[in-house]
Amino acid sequence: MKNIQQTLVIIKPDGLKKSLTGNILTRLSETKLRIVGVKVVRVSKELAEKHYAHLKDKPFFEDVIKYIRGELHGTKYRRVMAIVYDGENAIEKVRELAGTTNPEEAEPTSIRGQYGRLTTCGLFENVVHCSANAPEAEHEIKLWFDPDEIVDEIYPVKEIDEKVKRRVWA
Ligand code: ADP
């Protein structure tokens, strides 16, 4: 039986600043997984802290929050690209291509091996994030995307009635 999975990939601010979006998407297209959602996001402190909640006690927590929010890469790059991939063994396939967390230890031909670096303050600037396992992927995708931003129904949804103020084009 096929193991259909979803996974979240985030091209981090260093990836955007180094103009690597095309290269990274090309590498990821080798997997033949399908993109079911994509957007450019200005990451709020709240979203960053929720995304990295598991690192709260690490000495590099503050730096990693600054990093994902683009605060280490100048005002032009306060954004990331978030992409949801769907397909057979999606999590494993993307992690394999991304390489390990530390870019110096990553397989040299992996995305992190090719494009990542260790900053002078010791942070791993590793260009991409990708989900580690199935529960994490579901948690992250639901954190970053609303159901209407995903073209397939990958998780159950419900309808709620709520009055919200929203911006429209003037
Ligand atoms: P991954 O991104 O591979 O899932 P983690 O969730 O453990 O890894 O870490 C999140 C991010 O924090 C990493 O991608 C990297 O940018 C940074 N990071 C993780 N571990 C370290 C470390 N030991 N030293 C410096 N930066 C780290």
Side-chain angles (χ1 to χ4, degrees):
M1 217 175 74
K2 284 189 174 178
N3 180 28
I4 301 298
Q5 297 178 322
Q6 294 76 36
T7 188
L8 178 74
V9 173
I10 299 170
I11 303 181
K12 299 183 184 180
D14 51 326
L16 298 187
K17 186 168 183 173
K18 291 173 175 171
S19 200
L20 291 171
T21 315
N23 307 51
I24 292 167
L25 293 178
T26 300
R27 292 298 308 277
L28 290 170
S29 71
E30 288 167 21
T31 61
K32 299 200 173 68
L33 297 167
R34 294 180 318 152
I35 293 176
V36 293
V38 62
K39 61 181 176 178
V40 176
V41 184
R42 183 153 296 190
V43 184
S44 67
K45 193 155 192 279
E46 190 193 358
L47 175 59
E49 286 178 353
K50 281 187 182 163
H51 180 78
Y52 283 130
H54 62 289
L55 300 175
K56 211 167 178 7
D57 300 327
K58 300 281 184 197
F60 54 85
F61 181 68
E62 289 305 322
D63 285 337
V64 96
I65 297 297
K66 282 189 192 149
Y67 171 29
I68 195 82
R69 299 193 68 211
E71 289 177 14
L72 308 177
H73 293 90
T75 48
K76 264 172 77 182
Y77 294 96
R78 296 223 167 136
R79 66 207 59 199
V80 300
M81 182 181 278
I83 311 143
V84 179
Y85 282 93
D86 171 281
E88 199 173 357
N89 296 324
I91 296 169
E92 186 59 40
K93 282 181 182 163
V94 171
R95 282 193 81 79
E96 175 92 32
L97 269 179
T100 54
T101 309
N102 181 343
E104 280 195 350
E105 287 171 6
E107 163 72 36
T109 59
S110 67
I111 295 169
R112 287 166 164 178
Q114 279 187 313
Y115 304 126
R117 70 174 192 131
L118 221 72
T119 64
T120 42
C121 71
L123 189 71
F124 302 161
E125 260 189 21
N126 51 13
V127 189
V128 288
H129 164 82
C130 50
S131 307
N133 52 52
E136 206 173 279
E138 179 171 347
H139 172 74
E140 291 175 354
I141 291 166
K142 288 179 173 174
L143 188 62
W144 285 77
F145 285 81
D146 284 331
D148 287 341
E149 295 173 319
I150 304 282
V151 292
D152 291 339
E153 198 158 311
I154 55 174
Y155 306 125
V157 292
K158 62 179 180 185
E159 280 186 350
I160 55 166
D161 253 329
E162 68 177 351
K163 241 199 169 120
V164 285
K165 247 193 198 163
R166 67 185 184 95
R167 299 201 312 164
V168 295
W169 300 120

